[in-house]
C-alpha cells in the first residue's frame, strides 16, 4: 500500500538515489523527474486510498500540476510585435472530480475527508511574473483563447477565432496576463 503521508521516502530508494545523483538543482527537467517518481509512487498502488478518497488521482494530478507550474519553464520573454502568447509555464488540467470545491476543507485538514462531486472540471494553472501560482476554473471560451494565443495572432483575430466580443477578449487577455497565463501586450 501507499504511505501517502511520506512520498519523499521514495527518494531513499535505488531509483530515487539515482535520480538525485543525476539532478541539476533548480532545473525544470530535474523537478519533472522528481515529481514523476513521486507521482508514480502515489498512484501506483492506490486502490485502498481510492476506496476512501475516490478523487485521489485527480487530487494527485492537481497537486503535481501546481508543482510543475511552480517549478516549470521560465517565461518566454516576449512575442512578435507584442501579440498575446500563452506562457510556457501555463497548464490546462482536465479533472473528473470538482477538486476546487473540496480544496478549502482539505487544506484545513478536516476529518472526515470531505467528499467531492464527480464533475468534469477544467482548470487553468499559471505562474505570474512575481512567481505566484494561480488555479482558476477554465470555461471553454477561455481555454480556446489561451490555446489560440500563439504570439502571432492579434487581439482582433483571437476574438474572431474564439467568437467573443472584442472588448471581452481584451478584458480576458488582460486578466490572463495578470495571472501569468498570457504574455504580450493585450491591446487595451
Amino acid at each position: 500500500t501507499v504511505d501517502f503521508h511520506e512520498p519523499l521516502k521514495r527518494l531513499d530508494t535505488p531509483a530515487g538515489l539515482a535520480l538525485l545523483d543525476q539532478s541539476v538543482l533548480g532545473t525544470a527537467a530535474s523537478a519533472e523527474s522528481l515529481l514523476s517518481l513521486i507521482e508514480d509512487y502515489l498512484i501506483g498502488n492506490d486502490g485502498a486510498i481510492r476506496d476512501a478518497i475516490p478523487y485521489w488521482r485527480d487530487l494527485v494530478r492537481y497537486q503535481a500540476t501546481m508543482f510543475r507550474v511552480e517549478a516549470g519553464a521560465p517565461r518566454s520573454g516576449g512575442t512578435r510585435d507584442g501579440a498575446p502568447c500563452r506562457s510556457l509555464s501555463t497548464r490546462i488540467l482536465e479533472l473528473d472530480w470538482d477538486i476546487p470545491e473540496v480544496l478549502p476543507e482539505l487544506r484545513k485538514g478536516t476529518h472526515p475527508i470531505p467528499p467531492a462531486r464527480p464533475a468534469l472540471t477544467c482548470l487553468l494553472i499559471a505562474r505570474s511574473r512575481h512567481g505566484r501560482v494561480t488555479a482558476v476554473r477554465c470555461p471553454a471560451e477561455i481555454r480556446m483563447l489561451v490555446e489560440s494565443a500563439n504570439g502571432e495572432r492579434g487581439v482582433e483575430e483571437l476574438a474572431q477565432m474564439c467568437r467573443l466580443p472584442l472588448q471581452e477578449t481584451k478584458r480576458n487577455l488582460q486578466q490572463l496576463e495578470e495571472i501569468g497565463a498570457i504574455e504580450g501586450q493585450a491591446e487595451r
Side-chain angles (χ1 to χ4, degrees):
T1 65
V2 174
D3 177 5
F4 63 91
H5 288 117
E6 299 214 27
L8 292 179
K9 286 182 179 179
R10 189 73 176 129
L11 295 177
D12 197 19
T13 63
L17 294 171
L19 174 77
L20 290 174
D21 284 344
Q22 298 171 5
S23 292
V24 177
L25 187 62
T27 64
S30 292
E32 178 61 37
S33 296
L34 171 66
L35 183 59
S36 292
L37 183 74
I38 293 171
E39 194 174 17
D40 289 347
Y41 170 74
L42 290 172
I43 64 173
N45 189 14
D46 63 355
I49 295 171
R50 286 188 303 137
D51 286 343
I53 310 169
Y55 55 91
W56 171 252
R57 287 190 176 177
D58 272 3
L59 185 59
V60 170
R61 288 180 52 234
Y62 170 82
Q63 292 294 351
T65 303
M66 294 290 283
F67 182 87
R68 283 183 173 96
V69 169
E70 189 167 7
R75 298 172 64 80
S76 71
T79 62
R80 179 187 64 82
D81 299 326
C85 182
R86 178 180 174 162
S87 175
L88 293 174
S89 64
T90 298
R91 301 285 187 278
I92 294 176
L93 179 63
E94 293 179 342
L95 302 169
D96 295 322
W97 297 84
D98 192 352
I99 297 299
E101 187 176 80
V102 295
L103 283 175
E105 292 301 311
L106 288 171
R107 288 184 179 127
K108 288 180 194 174
T110 304
H111 291 284
I113 293 173
R117 254 181 338 111
L120 294 178
T121 304
C122 184
L123 299 176
L124 172 73
I125 303 174
R127 185 182 67 225
S128 74
R129 66 178 171 269
H130 305 294
R132 181 167 188 234
V133 177
T134 302
V136 294
R137 293 184 187 274
C138 186
E141 62 274 5
I142 298 300
R143 180 178 186 163
M144 179 180 264
L145 182 59
V146 170
E147 290 177 342
S148 300
N150 64 0
E152 296 179 10
R153 296 180 179 106
V155 176
E156 288 184 13
E157 186 178 354
L158 288 170
Q160 290 172 354
M161 286 181 70
C162 298
R163 296 188 175 125
L164 291 170
L166 182 59
Q167 286 307 110
E168 185 178 340
T169 301
K170 288 179 181 182
R171 264 192 317 277
N172 288 334
L173 286 169
Q174 184 176 6
Q175 291 171 344
L176 290 166
E177 194 170 1
E178 287 172 12
I179 67 168
I182 295 288
E183 297 179 33
Q185 295 301 310
E187 297 167 20
R188 306 222 188 331

